[in-house]
Amino acid sequence: MIRPAKISDIDHILKITRACAVKMEENGIFQWNAHYPTKEVFLNDLDRKELYVKEEDGSLVGAIVISTFMDEEYVPIDWLTANGNSTYIHRICVDPQFQGQGHAQSLMDFAENYSRERDFSSVRLDTFSQNQRNQRFYEQRGYKKLEDIYFPKQSDHPFHCYELVL
C-alpha cells in the first residue's frame, strides 16, 4: 500500500535513506551523504503534502516525493515539454533489505499514475551519473536522458536529468 506520509514516518524514512547511502557507498556510488537528504528536507516534503510511503505487511519499505515545484537547478534544462505542468520525482528510496522485489517499480508506477490522473504533461527527475543501475531503471521505463545538473554538496560528478512525456 502506498499512502501519504505522516510525521511519525520521518525517522523511519531517514533510517532507510541512511541504509541506502551505505549500500550505494559499498558499490562506489557516493550520491547521498550527511548533507542530503536531511530530516528538514523530508519535513518540508511532508508540509507540502508531497511525501508518500510504501508499506508491506505493516513495515515501511520505501518512500517517494512527487512534487510540482521546479528546483532552480532544473531551470536551464531544455525539457521535452513546456514548464509549468510537470511533476518532479525526488528522494525515491527502498530499504536495502526489500530491494529487488519490485518496490521501486511500484513507487514509480504510483508516481506516473498520479501524474496522469491529474493531467500533468510529464514526469521529471534526476539521477546520479555514477549510478548506472538507476539510469537503466529509468530508461527502461521510457524516460529520456537530457542534460546534466550539479549538486556540489553531494558530489563533483553531475546528475543526469530525465523526462517521461505522458
Side-chain angles (χ1 to χ4, degrees), residues 99-151:
Q99 289 179 4
Q101 299 174 22
H103 297 297
Q105 292 281 3
S106 65
L107 285 163
M108 288 302 297
D109 289 345
F110 176 81
E112 291 162 9
N113 288 334
Y114 173 100
S115 301
R116 276 188 198 93
E117 289 167 4
R118 288 158 180 80
D119 293 321
F120 286 98
S121 59
S122 71
V123 179
R124 298 172 176 178
L125 55 85
D126 67 77
T127 195
F128 191 44
S129 61
Q130 305 302 296
N131 193 334
Q132 294 181 358
R133 180 180 175 200
N134 278 6
Q135 292 170 50
R136 283 190 305 274
F137 175 75
Y138 295 122
E139 289 167 9
Q140 288 171 352
R141 294 187 67 85
Y143 285 77
K144 301 293 180 224
K145 185 169 117 177
L146 303 172
E147 301 165 54
D148 289 344
I149 57 176
Y150 290 85
F151 296 102

Side-chain angles (χ1 to χ4, degrees), residues 11-70:
D11 286 341
H12 197 121
I13 293 168
L14 286 168
K15 286 179 188 172
I16 291 172
T17 59
R18 286 187 203 112
C20 288
V22 168
K23 184 170 183 183
M24 286 187 283
E25 287 172 9
E26 289 170 356
N27 292 310
I29 301 167
F30 299 92
Q31 178 176 345
W32 286 352
N33 57 34
H35 300 288
Y36 183 87
T38 63
K39 185 173 189 172
E40 292 72 30
V41 168
F42 284 115
L43 289 171
N44 186 52
D45 296 333
L46 187 68
D47 286 344
R48 291 181 9 196
K49 298 180 180 6
E50 298 176 340
L51 180 59
Y52 295 85
V53 294
K54 181 168 187 199
E55 286 182 327
E56 186 168 278
D57 299 325
S59 294
L60 196 66
V61 299
I64 190 169
V65 173
I66 308 169
S67 179
T68 57
F69 178 76
M70 182 175 178

